[in-house]
Amino acid sequence: TLGANVSALCTLEDDSTLRVVGFHGIRRRSVQEQWSTFPVAADLPASEAVRGNVPVIAHSREEVETRWPLLAGQVAAEGSLACVPISVGDRCHGALSLSFPAEHVIDDDEMGLLAAIGQQCGLALERARLIADEREARQRSAFLSDATALLTSSLEPEETIEHLVSLVVPAMADWAVVYIADQHGNVVAATARHRDPAVGEWLVQMQRGQALDVEGGMGDILRTGRSLRYAQVPDELRARTREDLPTPELVAAIDPHTALGVPLTARGQVIGVIAMARTTDEQPYTLEEQLLVEDIAARAAVAVDHSNQFRRERDAALTLQRSLLPQRLPHLPGVTFAWRYLPGAAGTYIGGDWYDVLPLDGGRVALVIGDVMGRGLRAAAVMGQLRATARAHASSELRPSEILARLDVAVGGLEQDQITTALFAVLDPATRSLTVASAGHLPPLVTTADDAYFLDVEPGPPLGAGGSGYPELRLQLPDNATLLLFTDGLVEDRALPVDAGLETLRAALVGVTGAEALCNLALVALGRDTEHDDDTAMLAVELRSD
């Protein structure tokens, strides 16, 4: 409508570069080959308008070619040229260039109109960028929120590292490798991923366990703790990457054109590096992408560090827990023992479940199982003291009810407010006679070749509750029976009421004999062979006819 026969709109790509984003009256090939981008510092009318944030005008082709020699032979129109900045105040975002036919004269009114158009374009562009920035910020925030949830979803460092590569491949890279410091301080490849799963499997096998080349570019990241970004990977680094690739197909799939390496830093220490690359040079990594990956890597490093710390604390807790339990059970004529202790999956706190087998005079054996409610060192301390008390009194001729009474006094003396249940039984394998008393504990299960049932032992109050006594049950077990003592972690959880768990256990073990088989099938039947929240202790006693 202004009578121009050639127009072009360019915007700032960065502080030093202008990019043509729209044009009319110019051959597309000419724009793509020569004028798609050009420097702000160039001797060109659009660059001059942007640098000074002022309109630029020339009244003839001769004046254009004289003032801007780079355009010599490039100007098709004989007439005038005008470039107006696209700006808002002193913020310039680009320039609008217009070329007019020879008969067209640009007067002051028209320049005022063009300047107003440039200002309106600037306002529109700024609004569009603000909207785009806001949308991008929301997307980035949502992405980082999802990334954080994913990276902290596991307490295993290996899974956290796998989650990290899944966040960047294929979203931001064609392939990525994560290097992590091992327990000896060596930084080795822990995992890798490629957008092509088949190539990814090969990459994992090829890279896993390989030490990071400390002399290479990525090695600088370990020493400096700073990211490294290659808009175009140097030829010597590309050659080093390609030299171990056995086929042309893998060369094409792995050969990096643009690359990014980011440190994994936790508590001020670089614990690893994530290296990623694109195999085409059409989209070099930008500073914004680097900042995003740095944010993800920082969260991943903290998650890995926490996972490693959790693993160390868990291993230490389990070592302590097992040191409080019997290291081995006695070998006695006529009986076979099996036992299981499964710590709860949640956290590193040790629990208060315990079991014990104590040989007595005359070939008899005392069977003990107990559960100090709660977790942590207090529960473990109570458990350890009760186990020692039970052992101290078991060698006397005290009945099970009397042993529980002594434990009740011991719990009261500990001044602990944790509920404690226990079951104490004395078994004579020769006669299969059993005497059992319970302090609020679940009843034992008896299995035979064709049946399974719980003993009808009347439970007394939990230890430390100040009960008046503990009733005893005396009976003779069937020949070749198996007796199972267990804590409530086996039959109860948040989704399973204890009554339903007991019935599930009984039904699953009908006709099952043998101590080891009983323990294994009990865990499977109640789903405790996989993940479980509470500690579980089991003690199985198989009576043999020999």
Side-chain angles (χ1 to χ4, degrees):
T1 58
L2 297 176
N5 53 12
V6 175
S7 61
L9 177 67
C10 60
T11 59
L12 281 168
E13 185 170 78
D14 52 44
D15 292 340
S16 61
T17 306
L18 286 163
R19 177 176 291 277
V20 175
V21 295
F23 55 88
H24 176 73
I26 312 174
R27 290 185 305 166
R28 180 176 297 274
R29 175 178 294 182
S30 175
V31 172
Q32 292 175 337
E33 292 179 353
Q34 188 172 1
W35 301 111
S36 60
T37 61
F38 53 92
V40 173
D43 188 17
L44 293 168
S47 299
E48 187 175 321
V50 170
R51 291 196 302 269
N53 196 17
V54 294
V56 173
I57 185 171
H59 295 286
S60 66
R61 181 168 65 179
E62 182 180 1
E63 182 181 353
V64 170
E65 295 182 347
T66 300
R67 291 177 60 181
W68 302 291
L70 287 175
L71 294 179
Q74 302 286 328
V75 182
E78 294 285 345
S80 54
L81 175 146
C83 284
V84 292
I86 297 172
S87 60
V88 178
D90 59 354
R91 298 187 303 277
C92 187
H93 300 295
L96 173 65
S97 300
L98 300 170
S99 296
F100 296 93
E103 63 275 9
H104 189 91
V105 178
I106 304 176
D107 56 23
D108 292 342
D109 291 340
E110 190 166 34
M111 282 304 300
L113 175 61
L114 291 175
I117 291 174
Q119 293 173 359
Q120 291 299 314
C121 286
L123 287 170
L125 184 59
E126 192 162 274
R127 282 196 300 270
R129 286 182 173 175
L130 287 173
I131 293 172
D133 289 345
E134 182 182 359
R135 180 172 61 250
E136 185 175 324
R138 287 199 303 268
Q139 292 173 343
R140 176 189 173 97
S141 178
F143 176 76
L144 289 175
S145 177
D146 292 342
T148 301
L150 182 63
L151 292 169
T152 57
S153 63
S154 172
L155 290 173
E156 300 298 332
E158 295 82 4
E159 292 184 12
T160 300
I161 295 168
E162 291 293 341
H163 291 325
L164 174 58
V165 291
S166 73
L167 287 168
V168 299
V169 178
M172 287 179 277
D174 290 313
W175 58 263
V177 180
V178 176
Y179 299 88
I180 291 291
D182 62 16
Q183 58 184 350
H184 305 295
N186 301 316
V187 180
V188 298
T191 191
R193 181 168 295 208
H194 194 281
R195 64 167 57 250
D196 182 343
V199 177
E201 291 180 8
W202 179 89
L203 192 61
V204 168
Q205 296 299 322
M206 183 71 178
Q207 290 289 329
R208 181 165 287 169
Q210 295 294 317
L212 179 63
D213 184 3
V214 296
E215 300 300 327
M218 293 299 167
D220 293 338
I221 301 173
L222 289 175
R223 292 188 293 272
T224 65
R226 294 193 296 268
S227 299
L228 185 63
R229 175 164 51 103
Y230 291 114
Q232 186 170 0
V233 179
D235 290 340
E236 60 272 18
L237 292 182
R238 293 179 64 183
R240 192 182 305 171
T241 303
R242 293 193 298 262
E243 66 185 9
D244 294 327
L245 302 178
T247 67
E249 292 77 13
L250 285 174
V251 170
I254 302 297
D255 188 20
H257 284 254
T258 180
L260 177 63
V262 172
L264 301 175
T265 305
R267 293 185 291 176
Q269 298 292 322
V270 179
I271 64 171
V273 172
I274 178 169
M276 64 187 71
R278 291 174 178 145
T279 56
T280 64
D281 55 3
E282 296 177 357
Q283 189 179 0
Y285 283 106
T286 65
L287 177 60
E288 289 75 15
E289 288 178 310
Q290 176 182 323
L291 294 175
L292 179 59
V293 175
E294 286 175 346
D295 201 336
I296 298 171
R299 297 168 193 238
V302 171
V304 169
D305 185 61
H306 285 174
S307 297
N308 285 328
Q309 184 176 357
F310 169 82
R311 176 174 285 180
R312 290 191 294 269
E313 292 176 355
R314 181 182 58 190
D315 291 346
L318 290 177
T319 300
L320 175 60
Q321 176 81 66
R322 292 190 174 107
S323 70
L324 295 173
L325 295 173
Q327 302 303 303
R328 63 183 64 85
L329 295 185
H331 296 283
L332 298 174
V335 289
T336 299
F337 299 107
W339 61 95
R340 300 289 187 273
Y341 175 76
L342 288 77
T348 61
Y349 293 115
I350 57 179
D353 290 21
W354 94 94
Y355 59 88
D356 211 345
V357 175
L358 310 171
L360 302 176
D361 293 340
R364 297 174 304 145
V365 61
L367 311 172
V368 192
I369 195 159
D371 183 359
V372 180
M373 303 302 177
R375 302 179 66 79
L377 290 175
R378 290 180 62 189
V382 173
M383 178 264 281
Q385 292 179 75
L386 290 180
R387 179 169 175 253
T389 301
R391 281 182 161 254
H393 293 296
S395 59
S396 64
E397 293 299 318
L398 297 176
R399 301 193 311 274
S401 59
E402 294 173 321
I403 297 291
L404 291 182
R406 301 292 178 93
L407 294 178
D408 179 65
V409 172
V411 170
L414 294 174
E415 298 182 351
Q416 301 286 350
D417 57 358
Q418 289 161 296
I419 298 174
T420 302
T421 67
L423 185 141
F424 195 98
V426 175
L427 173 67
D428 185 344
T431 63
R432 302 192 308 279
S433 65
L434 179 73
T435 303
V436 57
S438 170
H441 202 83
L442 295 173
L445 179 73
V446 176
T447 67
T448 64
D450 56 6
D451 198 6
Y453 56 90
F454 292 103
L455 294 181
D456 190 18
V457 54
E458 180 182 350
L463 301 178
S468 58
Y470 299 96
E472 288 183 349
L473 174 68
R474 296 182 180 87
L475 71 153
Q476 187 177 38
L477 294 172
D479 192 20
N480 292 325
T482 303
L483 181 69
L484 179 65
L485 284 63
F486 54 91
T487 58
D488 61 356
L490 177 64
V491 293
E492 183 182 26
D493 58 34
R494 287 171 292 182
L496 182 67
V498 63
D499 290 342
L502 289 171
E503 177 54 28
T504 300
L505 178 66
R506 189 203 64 79
L509 299 183
V510 170
V512 177
T513 57
E516 287 292 339
L518 211 64
C519 289
N520 291 334
L521 289 174
L523 293 175
V524 172
L526 275 302
R528 302 305 189 247
D529 56 328
T530 55
E531 188 170 315
H532 48 281
D533 294 329
D534 195 8
D535 293 353
T536 299
M538 302 169 59
L539 175 62
V541 185
E542 177 186 355
L543 292 172
R544 302 195 312 268
S545 59
D546 56 356

